[in-house]
Amino acid sequence: MRTRNKKIFIDPSIAIASLKMSPESCADDLFLFGFLFENLCIRDLSIYTSPLDGKYLLLP
C-alpha cells in the first residue's frame, strides 16, 4: 500500500531530455519506460478531468 502522494512530472519529456535518452534507449530500459508511461497517463487523465472538476488522480 502506498502511504504518500505520488509525485509526477509536469511533462515526462523533461526526464527523458535530462537523462539524454534516445528512442532506442527507452526501448532498452522498459522499467524506466513504464514509470514514464504511467506518469504520462496520469498527467493526461488529470488534464481531461479538470473541466469536470476532477481532482488529482491517485493510484492505489
Side-chain angles (χ1 to χ4, degrees):
M1 297 282 299
R2 189 171 291 156
T3 58
R4 297 183 194 170
N5 290 340
K6 187 167 187 74
K7 295 183 171 128
I8 64 167
F9 283 108
I10 293 174
D11 187 1
S13 66
I14 295 170
I16 293 173
S18 67
L19 293 171
K20 298 179 182 165
M21 295 180 74
S22 67
E24 294 79 20
S25 64
C26 277
D28 291 340
D29 190 358
L30 294 178
F31 188 72
L32 177 61
F33 179 75
F35 283 119
L36 294 172
F37 183 75
E38 178 185 6
N39 188 306
L40 184 64
C41 292
I42 291 171
R43 183 196 66 143
D44 286 351
L45 289 173
S46 163
I47 290 168
Y48 297 149
T49 60
S50 64
L52 304 171
D53 291 331
K55 301 294 181 198
Y56 176 77
L57 299 173
L58 295 176
L59 298 177

